[in-house]
Amino acid sequence: MAYLTLFVIAFGAATLLPLQSEAVLVGLQLSGYPAVPLVLVAGVGNVLGSTVNWCVGRAIERFRGRRWFPATDAHLERAQRSYRRYGRWSLLLSWAPVIGDPITLVAGVMREPLPRFLLLVGIAKFGRYAVLAFTVRASS
């Protein structure tokens, strides 16, 4: 049940939901769960959640300009300009709070190929969890 909880929270945290998967991972690790399975479960959940953002980004263009749509044309243009400037390498920052989730959404809008998206986001997400787990282990 603990691994399922971690997966669901890591998945949700990668979307625009305000969830903290790092706290759950650390708590489980301090409770005696081994680091490697925790990193794998959190990483897979987080990458899949980011893939949802990518899919939303791919589909977002058809809703542009509707009254209920949460982003203005100016917001989308600014995000696209930023992505074009920093390119796919910005996906390596997809682990970062605040900016990471929007980057994955913009990657979908910019039609970043899914295999390259998964590779770069996977490096970022798994890397963050691995560093976190190693830090907890080293300080315990």
Short mmCIF file of all heavy atoms in Angstrom, two decimals, residues 34-68:
data_model
loop_
_atom_site.label_atom_id
_atom_site.label_comp_id
_atom_site.label_asym_id
_atom_site.label_seq_id
_atom_site.Cartn_x
_atom_site.Cartn_y
_atom_site.Cartn_z
N PRO A 34 13.27 0.30 1.52
CA PRO A 34 14.54 0.45 0.79
C PRO A 34 14.46 1.55 -0.27
O PRO A 34 13.43 1.76 -0.92
CB PRO A 34 14.76 -0.93 0.15
CG PRO A 34 13.45 -1.63 0.22
CD PRO A 34 12.62 -0.99 1.29
N ALA A 35 15.58 2.22 -0.47
CA ALA A 35 15.65 3.40 -1.34
C ALA A 35 15.39 3.07 -2.81
O ALA A 35 14.66 3.81 -3.48
CB ALA A 35 17.00 4.08 -1.19
N VAL A 36 15.97 2.01 -3.32
CA VAL A 36 15.88 1.74 -4.76
C VAL A 36 14.43 1.55 -5.22
O VAL A 36 14.00 2.20 -6.18
CB VAL A 36 16.78 0.56 -5.18
CG1 VAL A 36 16.53 0.15 -6.62
CG2 VAL A 36 18.25 0.92 -4.97
N PRO A 37 13.63 0.70 -4.57
CA PRO A 37 12.24 0.58 -5.01
C PRO A 37 11.46 1.89 -4.87
O PRO A 37 10.62 2.20 -5.71
CB PRO A 37 11.64 -0.51 -4.11
CG PRO A 37 12.79 -1.26 -3.58
CD PRO A 37 13.94 -0.30 -3.54
N LEU A 38 11.76 2.66 -3.82
CA LEU A 38 11.09 3.95 -3.65
C LEU A 38 11.40 4.89 -4.80
O LEU A 38 10.51 5.55 -5.34
CB LEU A 38 11.49 4.60 -2.32
CG LEU A 38 11.00 3.93 -1.04
CD1 LEU A 38 11.61 4.60 0.19
CD2 LEU A 38 9.48 3.94 -0.96
N VAL A 39 12.67 4.95 -5.19
CA VAL A 39 13.08 5.81 -6.30
C VAL A 39 12.41 5.35 -7.59
O VAL A 39 11.93 6.18 -8.38
CB VAL A 39 14.62 5.84 -6.44
CG1 VAL A 39 15.06 6.48 -7.75
CG2 VAL A 39 15.24 6.57 -5.26
N LEU A 40 12.36 4.05 -7.82
CA LEU A 40 11.75 3.53 -9.05
C LEU A 40 10.25 3.85 -9.10
O LEU A 40 9.75 4.32 -10.13
CB LEU A 40 11.98 2.03 -9.16
CG LEU A 40 13.41 1.60 -9.42
CD1 LEU A 40 13.54 0.07 -9.39
CD2 LEU A 40 13.91 2.14 -10.75
N VAL A 41 9.55 3.61 -8.00
CA VAL A 41 8.10 3.86 -7.97
C VAL A 41 7.80 5.35 -8.12
O VAL A 41 6.95 5.75 -8.92
CB VAL A 41 7.49 3.31 -6.66
CG1 VAL A 41 6.06 3.80 -6.46
CG2 VAL A 41 7.53 1.79 -6.66
N ALA A 42 8.52 6.18 -7.37
CA ALA A 42 8.30 7.63 -7.46
C ALA A 42 8.67 8.15 -8.85
O ALA A 42 7.96 8.98 -9.42
CB ALA A 42 9.10 8.35 -6.38
N GLY A 43 9.77 7.66 -9.39
CA GLY A 43 10.21 8.10 -10.72
C GLY A 43 9.21 7.75 -11.80
O GLY A 43 8.86 8.60 -12.63
N VAL A 44 8.73 6.52 -11.80
CA VAL A 44 7.75 6.11 -12.81
C VAL A 44 6.47 6.93 -12.67
O VAL A 44 5.93 7.44 -13.66
CB VAL A 44 7.46 4.59 -12.72
CG1 VAL A 44 6.25 4.21 -13.56
CG2 VAL A 44 8.67 3.79 -13.15
N GLY A 45 5.98 7.08 -11.45
CA GLY A 45 4.77 7.87 -11.24
C GLY A 45 4.94 9.31 -11.69
O GLY A 45 4.06 9.88 -12.36
N ASN A 46 6.08 9.91 -11.37
CA ASN A 46 6.33 11.30 -11.72
C ASN A 46 6.48 11.49 -13.22
O ASN A 46 5.97 12.46 -13.79
CB ASN A 46 7.56 11.78 -10.96
CG ASN A 46 7.46 13.20 -10.48
OD1 ASN A 46 8.36 13.98 -10.74
ND2 ASN A 46 6.39 13.56 -9.79
N VAL A 47 7.17 10.57 -13.88
CA VAL A 47 7.32 10.67 -15.34
C VAL A 47 5.97 10.49 -16.02
O VAL A 47 5.64 11.22 -16.97
CB VAL A 47 8.36 9.64 -15.87
CG1 VAL A 47 8.32 9.56 -17.39
CG2 VAL A 47 9.76 10.01 -15.39
N LEU A 48 5.16 9.56 -15.55
CA LEU A 48 3.83 9.38 -16.14
C LEU A 48 2.96 10.62 -15.93
O LEU A 48 2.22 11.03 -16.83
CB LEU A 48 3.15 8.14 -15.58
CG LEU A 48 3.74 6.81 -16.05
CD1 LEU A 48 3.06 5.64 -15.35
CD2 LEU A 48 3.63 6.66 -17.55
N GLY A 49 3.05 11.23 -14.75
CA GLY A 49 2.31 12.47 -14.51
C GLY A 49 2.75 13.58 -15.44
O GLY A 49 1.94 14.35 -15.97
N SER A 50 4.05 13.68 -15.68
CA SER A 50 4.57 14.67 -16.62
C SER A 50 4.10 14.38 -18.04
O SER A 50 3.89 15.30 -18.84
CB SER A 50 6.11 14.69 -16.58
OG SER A 50 6.54 15.22 -15.35
N THR A 51 3.93 13.10 -18.35
CA THR A 51 3.44 12.72 -19.67
C THR A 51 1.99 13.18 -19.86
O THR A 51 1.60 13.55 -20.97
CB THR A 51 3.59 11.20 -19.88
OG1 THR A 51 4.97 10.86 -19.66
CG2 THR A 51 3.18 10.79 -21.28
N VAL A 52 1.22 13.19 -18.78
CA VAL A 52 -0.14 13.75 -18.85
C VAL A 52 -0.05 15.22 -19.24
O VAL A 52 -0.80 15.70 -20.10
CB VAL A 52 -0.89 13.56 -17.52
CG1 VAL A 52 -2.17 14.39 -17.48
CG2 VAL A 52 -1.19 12.10 -17.27
N ASN A 53 0.88 15.96 -18.62
CA ASN A 53 1.06 17.38 -18.98
C ASN A 53 1.41 17.51 -20.45
O ASN A 53 0.90 18.40 -21.14
CB ASN A 53 2.18 18.01 -18.14
CG ASN A 53 1.83 18.11 -16.68
OD1 ASN A 53 0.68 17.99 -16.29
ND2 ASN A 53 2.84 18.30 -15.87
N TRP A 54 2.30 16.66 -20.93
CA TRP A 54 2.70 16.67 -22.34
C TRP A 54 1.48 16.45 -23.24
O TRP A 54 1.30 17.15 -24.23
CB TRP A 54 3.78 15.61 -22.56
CG TRP A 54 4.28 15.49 -23.96
CD1 TRP A 54 5.29 16.21 -24.54
CD2 TRP A 54 3.81 14.59 -24.97
NE1 TRP A 54 5.48 15.80 -25.84
CE2 TRP A 54 4.58 14.81 -26.13
CE3 TRP A 54 2.82 13.61 -25.01
CZ2 TRP A 54 4.37 14.09 -27.30
CZ3 TRP A 54 2.62 12.90 -26.17
CH2 TRP A 54 3.40 13.14 -27.30
N CYS A 55 0.64 15.48 -22.87
CA CYS A 55 -0.57 15.19 -23.66
C CYS A 55 -1.53 16.38 -23.65
O CYS A 55 -2.11 16.72 -24.69
CB CYS A 55 -1.28 13.95 -23.11
SG CYS A 55 -0.41 12.41 -23.39
N VAL A 56 -1.68 17.01 -22.50
CA VAL A 56 -2.54 18.20 -22.41
C VAL A 56 -1.97 19.29 -23.32
O VAL A 56 -2.71 19.97 -24.04
CB VAL A 56 -2.67 18.69 -20.95
CG1 VAL A 56 -3.30 20.07 -20.88
CG2 VAL A 56 -3.45 17.68 -20.13
N GLY A 57 -0.66 19.47 -23.27
CA GLY A 57 -0.01 20.45 -24.13
C GLY A 57 -0.24 20.18 -25.61
O GLY A 57 -0.46 21.10 -26.39
N ARG A 58 -0.19 18.92 -25.98
CA ARG A 58 -0.43 18.55 -27.38
C ARG A 58 -1.86 18.92 -27.81
O ARG A 58 -2.09 19.30 -28.95
CB ARG A 58 -0.23 17.05 -27.59
CG ARG A 58 1.18 16.55 -27.37
CD ARG A 58 2.05 16.71 -28.54
NE ARG A 58 1.55 15.95 -29.67
CZ ARG A 58 2.27 15.64 -30.71
NH1 ARG A 58 3.54 15.97 -30.75
NH2 ARG A 58 1.76 14.99 -31.72
N ALA A 59 -2.81 18.80 -26.90
CA ALA A 59 -4.22 19.02 -27.23
C ALA A 59 -4.69 20.45 -26.97
O ALA A 59 -5.78 20.82 -27.39
CB ALA A 59 -5.08 18.05 -26.41
N ILE A 60 -3.89 21.25 -26.34
CA ILE A 60 -4.33 22.56 -25.84
C ILE A 60 -4.67 23.55 -26.94
O ILE A 60 -5.54 24.40 -26.77
CB ILE A 60 -3.26 23.13 -24.88
CG1 ILE A 60 -3.91 23.98 -23.82
CG2 ILE A 60 -2.20 23.90 -25.61
CD1 ILE A 60 -2.99 24.27 -22.67
N GLU A 61 -4.02 23.45 -28.05
CA GLU A 61 -4.20 24.43 -29.13
C GLU A 61 -5.66 24.55 -29.58
O GLU A 61 -6.11 25.63 -29.92
CB GLU A 61 -3.31 24.08 -30.33
CG GLU A 61 -1.84 24.23 -30.07
CD GLU A 61 -1.40 25.68 -29.87
OE1 GLU A 61 -2.00 26.59 -30.47
OE2 GLU A 61 -0.46 25.88 -29.11
N ARG A 62 -6.38 23.46 -29.57
CA ARG A 62 -7.76 23.53 -30.07
C ARG A 62 -8.70 24.29 -29.13
O ARG A 62 -9.79 24.67 -29.53
CB ARG A 62 -8.28 22.14 -30.36
CG ARG A 62 -8.50 21.31 -29.14
CD ARG A 62 -9.03 19.96 -29.50
NE ARG A 62 -8.38 19.02 -28.60
CZ ARG A 62 -8.74 17.79 -28.51
NH1 ARG A 62 -9.67 17.30 -29.28
NH2 ARG A 62 -8.13 16.99 -27.67
N PHE A 63 -8.27 24.51 -27.88
CA PHE A 63 -9.11 25.24 -26.93
C PHE A 63 -8.69 26.70 -26.77
O PHE A 63 -9.32 27.45 -26.05
CB PHE A 63 -9.06 24.55 -25.57
CG PHE A 63 -9.58 23.15 -25.60
CD1 PHE A 63 -8.73 22.09 -25.36
CD2 PHE A 63 -10.90 22.89 -25.91
CE1 PHE A 63 -9.20 20.79 -25.40
CE2 PHE A 63 -11.38 21.60 -25.96
CZ PHE A 63 -10.53 20.54 -25.70
N ARG A 64 -7.64 27.05 -27.42
CA ARG A 64 -7.11 28.42 -27.34
C ARG A 64 -8.18 29.43 -27.76
O ARG A 64 -8.90 29.22 -28.72
CB ARG A 64 -5.93 28.51 -28.30
CG ARG A 64 -4.93 29.50 -27.94
CD ARG A 64 -3.78 29.38 -28.92
NE ARG A 64 -2.71 30.19 -28.43
CZ ARG A 64 -1.49 30.19 -28.93
NH1 ARG A 64 -1.21 29.41 -29.94
NH2 ARG A 64 -0.58 30.95 -28.43
N GLY A 65 -8.29 30.50 -27.00
CA GLY A 65 -9.22 31.56 -27.35
C GLY A 65 -10.61 31.39 -26.76
O GLY A 65 -11.43 32.31 -26.85
N ARG A 66 -10.89 30.26 -26.16
CA ARG A 66 -12.21 30.09 -25.53
C ARG A 66 -12.23 30.86 -24.21
O ARG A 66 -11.22 30.99 -23.53
CB ARG A 66 -12.51 28.62 -25.30
CG ARG A 66 -12.64 27.90 -26.63
CD ARG A 66 -13.37 26.63 -26.52
NE ARG A 66 -13.45 26.01 -27.83
CZ ARG A 66 -13.73 24.75 -28.00
NH1 ARG A 66 -13.96 23.97 -26.98
NH2 ARG A 66 -13.80 24.26 -29.21
N ARG A 67 -13.37 31.34 -23.85
CA ARG A 67 -13.50 32.20 -22.68
C ARG A 67 -13.04 31.52 -21.39
O ARG A 67 -12.45 32.15 -20.53
CB ARG A 67 -14.96 32.63 -22.55
CG ARG A 67 -15.17 33.81 -21.67
CD ARG A 67 -16.58 34.28 -21.74
NE ARG A 67 -17.48 33.14 -21.78
CZ ARG A 67 -18.76 33.18 -21.55
NH1 ARG A 67 -19.31 34.32 -21.28
NH2 ARG A 67 -19.51 32.10 -21.61
N TRP A 68 -13.30 30.24 -21.23
CA TRP A 68 -12.96 29.52 -20.00
C TRP A 68 -11.51 29.06 -19.96
O TRP A 68 -11.03 28.61 -18.93
CB TRP A 68 -13.88 28.30 -19.82
CG TRP A 68 -13.88 27.39 -21.01
CD1 TRP A 68 -14.78 27.40 -22.03
CD2 TRP A 68 -12.94 26.36 -21.33
NE1 TRP A 68 -14.46 26.44 -22.96
CE2 TRP A 68 -13.33 25.78 -22.55
CE3 TRP A 68 -11.80 25.87 -20.71
CZ2 TRP A 68 -12.64 24.74 -23.15
CZ3 TRP A 68 -11.11 24.83 -21.31
CH2 TRP A 68 -11.53 24.28 -22.52
#
